[in-house]
Amino acid sequence: MSEWTWEYEGYDPAEETLRESLCSLGNGYFATRGAAPECAAGGPHYPGTYAAGVYNRLTSEVAGQTVSNEDMVNLPNWLPLRYRLATPDGSGGDWYTPDDAALRSYRQLLDLRAGIYERHLLFEDASGRRLRVRQSRIVHMDDPHLAALRTEFTAENFSGTVEVESAIDAAVTNDGVARYRELNGQHLAEIMSGYPEDCTVWVRARTINSGIAVAVAARTYSSQGPSCEPRPSTGTPTRPATRVDLALKQGETATVDKIVALHTSRDSAISDPLDAALDGVRNVPGWDQLLLGHRLAWQRLWHRALLEVPGEAGHILRFHLFHVLQTLSPHTADLDAGVPARGLNGEAYRGHVFWDELFVLPYLNLHFPEVSKGLLRYRHRRLNRARRLARDAGYDGAMYPWQSGSDGREETQELHLNPSSGRWLPDNSRLQHHIGSAVAYNVWSYARATGDRRFMEQEGAETLLQISRFWASKSEWDGDIGRYRIRRVVGPDEYHDAYPDATEPGLDDNAYTNVTAAWVLQRTLESLAALPEERRAELAEHTGLDDTELSHWDDISHRLHVPFHQGVVSQFDGYGELRELDWVGMSTKYGDIRRLDRVLEAEGDSVNRYQASKQADTLMLGYLFPPRELRALFARLGHRLDDETWRRTVDYYVARTSHGSTLSGLVHAWVLARVRPAQAWGFFQEALRGDVADLQGGTTGEGIHLGAMAGTLDLVQRCLTGLRIRSDGALSLAPVPQPELSGYDFAIHYRHLWGVRFRMRSGGLDISLPATNRRSLDIRLVDRTVTLRPGDSFHLTLPDGD
């Protein structure tokens, strides 16, 4: 395995679902799982194709209730291509698959540099005839509507005919997540198909309730000439197919190419998806030209996302970056789509948008700011829906939903299944109102990183204002303690959604929620004050904002309650009164207790009774804010958070976290890098291996964890270098290098400056500004400011580690 490839040797049915997810290909518009084209869905195989923003809503009967769920739709499968050796009597044998006893070798290779997925198979039938198959697949990174499959057949020791069938399968459902299978998954209807000229087949379908038209066309041809026979394979319109017969001589190789186009009625600049798809496959010049354009597009992406890290960590980081770019490419900037938590690689979380952009956008801001802006506009377009959600709940402003999909309504399910007990349970995660602070943080961070004043004056200011208005209306004055309080919420931990034996869900004064709400109010006040006078007046007139309301926000931002116990910041009010968990006993009894909530519920107990967190909650404050800013936030709220108090707080929660989320290792690595550096590397390794080793016990096969992948990239970019963007546009640096990752390079696109290069080495950090830039860059250090002019470099000497 080279640094630019990801490889698997041998066929293992137990690993196939995981490999399908990790070998997915995409371009920001759509993605297809790395499934075997020879196989339909079933057993270890689950082909899936998903387009960003294509959702549909269905109702289901679950546990005696009618529930409604919106899903990212599994679209018609363009992959099907099966083959077999012709038999002497002409009857045809069995179609070959990786599950066939005739399989002699199997290898999968993902070329990260070029975005090509290869499969190498060798079959030997009962007569000893050996057929070697090499298959290459792309989802085109230059033209986001195209994909292609090249299959090369070599007759190693025989002469004869290879029968090939190429199809599109529209009889697909959403069935890729076992715990959702009691839910309705039939999203496509009005399926039609056709067989126009030139060995082309097509299907057209429509999502049942959202009414999105989807069209897929495929043209199949061989190196032996144009002859092929279009014919239906099943006698139904759901699987149109074409047939190609290859006459091979011993040692000869023949190629079959399948070119595919996918369009939906959400696309811009088309009149009809089917016409666009057919036009797409008719006008493609061929595999070679298609591949060239695809390679060049990937080359441009890798140039903008330069990252060179040696060793295994670097290999995994490049793999993470590959998947981030496949899900959120420059094509995404023009779409009305958010950040799907599990990428476009599978159906977990139903393709919904959570808070993961909090971990994704800080990386994109410094490489692909146009993508960040497009993702923020997804949120702004749903601002009025968030205002309606707040109004319906009795609040002012905008209350963003914990799970979002097509139109911004709350998509969090009302019930969720515990696989450990088989019981359907109430899902109260919709009370994670801190999602609003995440949206605000992303708005502010984007503007700080890009200097995009126009965005901040328009969409940004409107979004911040309405989120602040929500937090102000959610805050209740408590005269007994002389503080504002935010009640009935759920924090990032997610395990705790109610007090022990409470009849109503929700917790009071989650520290992360309250501190970030105070931060949002403070930043909104600053942002509004910085607006041009005419724009500020326009916004005030439009929203009814006045000085009295602004004064109230300022008061809340100084007096929100932050609970403490035993000298540490409390995760929420009353957390210190919960029982301690027998961690050793639980681990001895159950082994893996990452999903402690499920284990305890299956026992008839509840994690709400214990001081046990699924993932970083209070410690998320150390992820978002560097030490100096975090101290200032607490000081603004009337609390002294010195280094020792924060260190105690970190130690306290590290000992009480089960890490039932891939984000947990990432956040702990980030926080510990500054508090206890010797402990950080172990958590960083867990964050790196979360998906590639499927540490969460089978979940990666349902889709990657995009936030954790992007977060590991940002960890080497901002955390270990201490890279921060100051209000005056300068960059500040406060490196905390890890000995295990002491040498690496990366480049960023910062405002008008391209290719700003950082080289971390043992004992030093080098920064250089290419001569092609026209502006200088100020670097703020602890003791001085350094100005880099185009063509300059600077070396920062770091103290020797222990």
Side-chain angles (χ1 to χ4, degrees), residues 146-184:
L146 297 180
L149 183 69
R150 163 164 282 194
T151 309
E152 300 168 56
F153 299 94
T154 301
E156 285 204 340
N157 62 351
F158 72 95
S159 296
T161 299
V162 178
E163 300 174 357
V164 182
E165 182 191 75
S166 172
I168 303 173
D169 183 7
V172 296
T173 63
N174 277 53
D175 195 45
V177 179
R179 61 189 176 277
Y180 300 165
R181 286 177 184 155
E182 292 187 42
L183 304 174
N184 188 354

Side-chain angles (χ1 to χ4, degrees), residues 270-421:
I270 66 168
S271 61
D272 176 76
L274 180 56
D275 288 344
L278 288 171
D279 186 61
V281 297
R282 286 170 180 155
N283 289 287
V284 172
W287 169 268
D288 292 337
Q289 287 298 108
L290 201 62
L291 184 61
L292 177 61
H294 176 69
R295 285 181 178 274
L296 290 174
W298 268 107
Q299 182 177 312
R300 292 191 294 271
L301 292 182
W302 287 119
H303 179 73
R304 291 180 64 179
L306 175 67
L307 176 67
E308 297 176 357
V309 181
E312 181 187 19
H315 192 210
I316 298 175
L317 284 167
R318 183 172 286 120
F319 185 71
H320 286 182
L321 180 50
F322 177 76
H323 278 290
V324 170
L325 296 177
Q326 289 196 122
T327 307
L328 303 170
S329 81
H331 297 301
T332 311
D334 295 326
L335 303 177
D336 181 29
V339 177
R342 304 300 287 274
L344 299 174
N345 303 52
E347 296 163 11
Y349 302 165
R350 300 180 179 85
H352 290 170
V353 178
F354 293 70
W355 70 331
D356 296 78
E357 64 233 55
L358 189 63
F359 304 90
V360 175
L361 264 62
Y363 176 80
L364 293 177
N365 288 341
L366 296 175
H367 298 275
F368 302 94
E370 73 277 19
V371 179
S372 292
K373 187 173 186 176
L375 296 169
L376 291 172
R377 282 177 164 165
Y378 166 87
R379 291 296 192 181
H380 181 260
R381 292 185 190 103
R382 288 150 183 81
L383 181 62
N384 284 337
R385 191 62 182 249
R387 294 178 63 195
R388 191 190 316 172
L389 282 173
R391 185 169 63 250
D392 291 346
Y395 302 112
D396 299 327
M399 185 177 79
Y400 275 95
W402 175 237
Q403 296 187 32
S404 180
S406 62
D407 60 9
R409 74 181 76 179
E410 178 62 80
E411 299 294 351
T412 301
Q413 62 269 31
E414 297 175 6
L415 299 171
H416 70 273
L417 176 67
N418 180 359
S420 299
S421 67

Side-chain angles (χ1 to χ4, degrees), residues 463-751:
T463 304
L464 290 178
L465 187 157
Q466 296 298 346
I467 294 172
S468 289
R469 186 167 270 172
F470 167 74
W471 281 130
S473 69
K474 180 72 175 166
S475 302
E476 305 173 12
W477 176 253
D478 187 334
D480 291 339
I481 63 172
R483 291 274 180 177
Y484 291 95
R485 309 186 67 178
I486 298 178
R487 301 180 186 271
R488 298 175 298 281
V489 299
V490 170
D493 162 35
E494 294 188 317
Y495 274 177
H496 297 88
D497 63 358
Y499 287 102
D501 303 317
T503 58
E504 295 293 328
L507 304 161
D508 297 338
D509 298 314
N510 172 261
Y512 173 79
T513 300
N514 286 18
V515 173
T516 55
W519 179 90
V520 171
L521 290 164
Q522 176 189 357
R523 293 303 186 193
T524 303
L525 290 167
E526 295 170 355
S527 299
L528 293 175
L531 290 177
E533 184 176 347
E534 289 187 6
R535 172 57 179 155
R536 187 165 60 248
E538 179 184 74
L539 194 61
E541 180 181 7
H542 179 65
T543 62
L545 184 69
D546 58 25
D547 290 343
T548 300
E549 187 173 10
L550 293 175
S551 177
H552 182 51
W553 292 1
D554 184 64
D555 188 45
I556 295 171
S557 74
H558 283 87
R559 295 205 279 177
L560 266 171
H561 179 48
V562 180
F564 285 74
H565 73 277
Q566 298 177 28
V568 303
V569 180
S570 297
Q571 185 170 308
F572 52 81
D573 189 48
Y575 184 87
E577 300 168 18
L578 301 179
R579 301 176 191 173
E580 290 285 6
L581 183 76
D582 180 6
W583 291 91
V584 174
M586 292 296 291
S587 296
T588 301
K589 184 176 181 180
Y590 291 103
D592 186 353
I593 57 169
R594 293 173 189 269
R595 290 309 306 265
L596 185 63
D597 56 334
R598 293 175 176 174
V599 171
L600 289 171
E601 193 278 329
E603 284 190 344
D605 203 347
S606 170
V607 74
N608 283 328
R609 301 181 185 277
Y610 301 96
Q611 295 185 40
S613 300
K614 173 185 177 183
Q615 59 187 330
D617 190 303
T618 304
L619 300 194
M620 273 295 300
L621 294 171
Y623 181 83
L624 294 187
F625 308 116
R628 181 179 297 180
E629 186 173 358
L630 189 57
R631 286 194 298 270
L633 269 172
F634 272 76
R636 182 183 178 90
L637 289 166
H639 298 287
R640 184 170 184 268
L641 187 71
D642 56 28
D643 291 345
E644 182 55 34
T645 301
W646 180 241
R647 189 175 292 109
R648 282 198 308 269
T649 299
V650 171
D651 291 342
Y652 189 87
Y653 290 106
V654 166
R656 291 166 175 80
T657 303
S658 71
H659 306 292
S661 164
T662 55
L663 292 171
S664 191
L666 166 68
V667 176
H668 280 78
W670 191 294
V671 172
L672 288 167
R674 294 198 173 275
V675 176
R676 298 202 181 278
Q679 297 180 27
W681 181 247
F683 286 103
F684 183 42
Q685 285 184 304
E686 174 150 331
L688 282 174
R689 298 176 62 245
D691 272 337
V692 300
D694 200 11
L695 295 183
Q696 295 296 325
T699 63
T700 302
E702 303 165 350
I704 60 169
H705 296 82
L706 193 67
M709 284 188 168
T712 59
L713 302 170
D714 198 35
L715 190 145
V716 299
Q717 173 178 267
R718 291 193 308 129
C719 176
L720 300 187
T721 60
L723 176 64
R724 303 291 295 183
I725 300 168
R726 296 171 59 95
S727 58
D728 60 1
L731 297 181
S732 66
L733 296 170
V736 284
Q738 285 281 297
E740 298 87 349
L741 201 66
S742 58
Y744 62 89
D745 298 20
F746 67 90
I748 64 172
H749 172 197
Y750 176 55
R751 299 194 176 182

Side-chain angles (χ1 to χ4, degrees), residues 744-765:
Y744 62 89
D745 298 20
F746 67 90
I748 64 172
H749 172 197
Y750 176 55
R751 299 194 176 182
H752 300 288
L753 303 175
W754 289 77
V756 183
R757 187 77 174 259
F758 294 80
R759 295 178 174 87
M760 178 77 83
R761 297 292 182 266
S762 179
L765 174 63

Side-chain angles (χ1 to χ4, degrees), residues 366 448-449 723-726 728-733 746-758 765-771 773-781 784-794:
L366 296 175
R448 177 66 64 93
L723 176 64
R724 303 291 295 183
I725 300 168
R726 296 171 59 95
D728 60 1
L731 297 181
S732 66
L733 296 170
F746 67 90
I748 64 172
H749 172 197
Y750 176 55
R751 299 194 176 182
H752 300 288
L753 303 175
W754 289 77
V756 183
R757 187 77 174 259
F758 294 80
L765 174 63
D766 295 312
I767 308 102
S768 61
L769 182 63
N773 287 290
R774 297 183 177 181
R775 301 186 183 186
S776 60
L777 172 64
D778 287 340
I779 304 291
R780 297 271 194 271
L781 305 174
R784 64 194 187 281
T785 297
V786 176
T787 298
L788 289 181
R789 293 178 174 81
D792 285 354
S793 296
F794 170 73

